[in-house]
Amino acid sequence: MTERTTEGGAPIAIIGGTGLTELAGLEILGESCPDTPWGAISAPLVHGRLKGQDITFLARHGNPHRIPPHQVNYRANLWALRESGVETVIAVNAVGGIHPDMGPAEVVIPDQLIDYTWGRPSTFFEGELEEVTHIDFSYPYTDAVRRVLVGAARAAGVSHCDFGTYAATQGPRLETAAEITRLERDGCHLVGMTGMPEAVLAAELKLNYACLGLVVNWAAGKTDHIITMEEIEAAIAKGMSGVKTILERSVSDLGALSLQSS
């Protein structure tokens, strides 16, 4: 792999929805759309500055929101961020709550995940290789980054859970009630469709990586009614302010962490 470049790049990236560029005090500086060996990225990288810290945003599902989770080009996205100088990635994910403490609008900062996806390109280490490479993936989220996010949530009084096993499912459909029962039996606390292979690709590129999960609905079978888009949109509207607050309060510490690890 090529050495990462840092000139003109930002050490922190946020992957999520387009609304995350509305952080208080954020100055938008411009956009870029780098080429990658893995194809096109989901959307142009948006570069900005918040509290003196350079920051890059990437809309995972495109802008407008049009790419389903199983068709996101995760390899291109992570490669473009790394080549832009990014060292720390915060992934904002909409998730369903399985654990009783993880209801709609709750913020979850998970510490583990289980991958149930299939057929998604999930590694940079394939094709014409000189040798097979295996990376350690025992702990998929960077603990130092998680600690910064948890500390920011506590300091701001944002309701959150500082643990959780994320079940990454294929989508784009939601799960059946029986599937959620299986996931719960496996030890999963929340379920989403974009956690993998994003996390492992970040690990292969030696990027710091952590997840900010926003619960947007109870998982299938956890209530006596069907899941509706109105319910999901209401939870997003209620909970996104907490996500933004955590990001705004943590950006300086994340920047310092990035510099220490470089």
Side-chain angles (χ1 to χ4, degrees):
M1 293 185 180
T2 60
E3 293 296 320
R4 78 176 62 179
T5 59
T6 57
E7 184 177 356
I12 300 171
I14 298 172
I15 304 178
T18 55
L20 291 173
T21 57
E22 299 170 3
L23 299 177
L26 175 66
E27 176 189 5
I28 299 297
L29 302 177
E31 296 184 354
S32 65
C33 197
D35 295 326
T36 83
W38 312 100
I41 59 178
S42 293
L45 305 181
V46 178
H47 307 287
R49 185 171 294 119
L50 178 64
K51 296 184 178 180
Q53 173 65 51
D54 287 339
I55 192 165
T56 295
F57 298 87
L58 175 58
R60 183 188 287 113
H61 296 282
N63 186 11
H65 188 109
R66 59 181 177 79
I67 307 172
H70 66 295
Q71 292 186 322
V72 171
N73 193 338
Y74 296 96
R75 289 193 295 190
N77 288 349
L78 271 296
W79 187 274
L81 291 174
R82 198 283 297 266
E83 292 301 289
S84 296
V86 165
E87 297 176 2
T88 297
V89 175
I90 307 301
V92 178
N93 302 88
V95 296
I98 300 175
H99 189 280
D101 291 341
M102 299 178 186
E106 188 77 5
V107 174
V108 183
I109 304 166
D111 56 355
Q112 272 296 338
L113 67 80
I114 301 177
D115 186 12
Y116 299 91
T117 65
W118 50 270
R120 302 182 182 191
S122 59
T123 182
F124 294 108
F125 299 121
E126 63 182 10
E128 299 296 325
L129 300 176
E130 295 183 2
E131 61 181 356
V132 175
T133 300
H134 303 282
I135 65 162
D136 180 82
F137 200 52
S138 301
Y139 302 97
Y141 303 113
T142 305
D143 189 57
V145 179
R146 289 189 65 259
R147 289 199 302 269
V148 170
L149 297 177
V150 170
R154 289 174 179 167
V158 175
S159 181
H160 69 284
C161 291
D162 61 1
F163 70 94
T165 296
Y166 180 123
T169 58
Q170 180 70 359
R173 67 167 178 86
L174 298 174
E175 299 73 32
T176 68
E179 287 170 332
I180 294 300
T181 297
R182 183 189 70 161
L183 298 182
E184 188 169 23
R185 189 168 58 244
D186 286 350
C188 299
H189 303 105
L190 62 158
V191 58
M193 303 175 189
T194 53
M196 284 289 284
E198 195 173 88
V200 72
L201 293 171
E204 287 187 350
L205 293 177
K206 296 181 171 56
L207 296 171
N208 297 321
Y209 183 91
C211 167
L212 266 181
L214 175 61
V215 181
V216 298
N217 59 272
W218 284 112
K222 289 300 174 180
T223 62
D224 58 3
H225 65 273
I226 65 171
I227 300 167
T228 66
M229 284 307 301
E230 290 78 12
E231 171 189 359
I232 290 173
E233 290 167 359
I236 292 174
K238 180 179 179 181
M240 190 53 70
S241 61
V243 171
K244 291 179 180 179
T245 296
I246 293 170
L247 292 172
E248 290 162 2
R249 292 186 69 113
S250 63
V251 64
S252 297
D253 288 339
L254 289 172
L257 174 69
S258 185
L259 290 172
Q260 291 168 9
S261 64
S262 62

